Amino acid sequence: MKNCLLCDSKLKLTASWQQIIHGEKTKSICTNCRELFEKSQMPNSLYRYNEAMKKYLHQLKFLQDCRLTIVFAKELQQAIKRYEVDIIMPIPMHVKRLRQRTFAHVDELLKSANLPFEHLLEKTTTERQSDKNKQQRLQMENLFRLKPTVEIAGKRILIVDDLWTTGTTIQHATKILQQAQVKSVHYLTLIKG
Ligand SMILES: [Zn+2]
């Protein structure tokens, strides 16, 4: 008998309609937990940022519970397949942060969804935007730069990230990709803040 990855209650082994809809091979979370997530009405994100989602993201990102990547794997796969793109690109973490954290959760979400991806950008700063005032944010240099050997002119790119809040991250990434003469840039986030 398995337990729910979020609330630890015992999972029923019989396939539920939710399991069929979400295409889970094995059940990862219970029906109660699944129902607490709210679908997003926005075209570029799957879910709203509510209490349940806040808890999920915390457990995935900061407690590094890699098992949780399976919860939205099928949906993410179906959503991403609707975009006609050449390259799926997760938003990168800063190398230093990545080392500290040792877990690139967006990469892991894509791996769980069986989707190939490529890192085209690298982060230029570890400074947090919340440490800056408005003037400093406006004058801020781009958060990213193109990796040295990347050739993407004419390609269609899909940026994937976990959470959309102010949109700054996606805007900065888009700008760099456009400067590299890509054909198009789309984005999808799991959650919209
Ligand atoms: Zn549960």
Side-chain angles (χ1 to χ4, degrees):
M1 185 83 93
K2 273 177 59 185
N3 291 19
C4 170
L5 293 177
L6 293 171
C7 72
D8 210 36
S9 68
K10 292 254 181 287
L11 292 174
K12 291 193 194 95
L13 287 178
T14 47
S16 65
W17 61 268
Q18 272 99 348
Q19 243 178 300
I20 293 157
I21 286 173
H22 292 281
E24 290 174 89
K25 282 184 216 91
T26 52
K27 210 174 175 183
S28 55
I29 61 170
C30 72
T31 310
N32 288 345
C33 285
R34 180 71 76 184
E35 282 173 353
L36 292 174
F37 295 121
E38 289 173 76
K39 285 270 187 189
S40 168
Q41 302 305 312
M42 309 300 287
N44 297 316
S45 55
L46 298 182
Y47 283 92
R48 292 186 55 197
Y49 193 53
N50 64 5
E51 276 306 310
M53 197 46 98
K54 205 168 166 180
K55 207 180 135 202
Y56 168 84
L57 200 59
H58 180 83
Q59 193 172 330
L60 172 69
K61 202 167 165 175
F62 297 104
L63 305 181
Q64 307 188 354
D65 189 348
C66 200
R67 299 171 305 166
L68 287 186
T69 55
I70 198 73
V71 175
F72 300 109
K74 194 72 192 177
E75 276 170 281
L76 207 54
Q77 187 189 62
Q78 286 167 347
I80 288 178
K81 281 193 168 163
R82 281 198 286 270
Y83 292 88
E84 286 189 11
V85 292
D86 302 304
I87 301 172
I88 300 167
M89 185 202 81
I91 287 288
M93 284 203 266
H94 195 277
V95 186
K96 267 191 208 153
R97 290 232 168 144
L98 184 59
R99 240 181 267 135
Q100 285 162 0
R101 219 181 253 163
T102 69
F103 177 51
H105 61 286
V106 180
D107 292 14
E108 295 304 322
L109 284 168
L110 290 169
K111 281 182 204 165
S112 233
N114 260 321
L115 294 162
F117 59 89
E118 211 178 305
H119 278 286
L120 308 172
L121 307 181
E122 52 195 16
K123 216 154 182 201
T124 55
T125 174
T126 46
E127 289 170 57
R128 287 191 316 225
Q129 288 193 62
S130 50
D131 297 336
K132 294 187 168 128
N133 64 33
K134 197 179 173 195
Q135 190 65 23
Q136 286 170 321
R137 272 203 300 272
L138 288 172
Q139 290 170 346
M140 186 172 61
E141 278 183 45
N142 201 298
L143 292 166
F144 308 102
R145 63 173 161 248
L146 206 61
K147 288 177 117 182
T149 55
V150 160
E151 248 323 316
I152 48 172
K155 301 277 189 198
R156 299 164 300 175
I157 318 285
L158 177 69
I159 301 172
V160 179
D161 206 2
D162 55 349
L163 177 63
W164 195 102
T165 42
T166 62
T168 307
T169 307
I170 306 271
Q171 273 170 23
H172 280 216
T174 301
K175 201 171 170 193
I176 298 290
L177 295 173
Q178 283 169 343
Q179 282 166 359
Q181 273 140 16
V182 295
K183 189 176 175 193
S184 62
V185 184
H186 291 93
Y187 75 89
L188 178 78
T189 61
L190 177 62
I191 314 156
K192 173 105 184 198

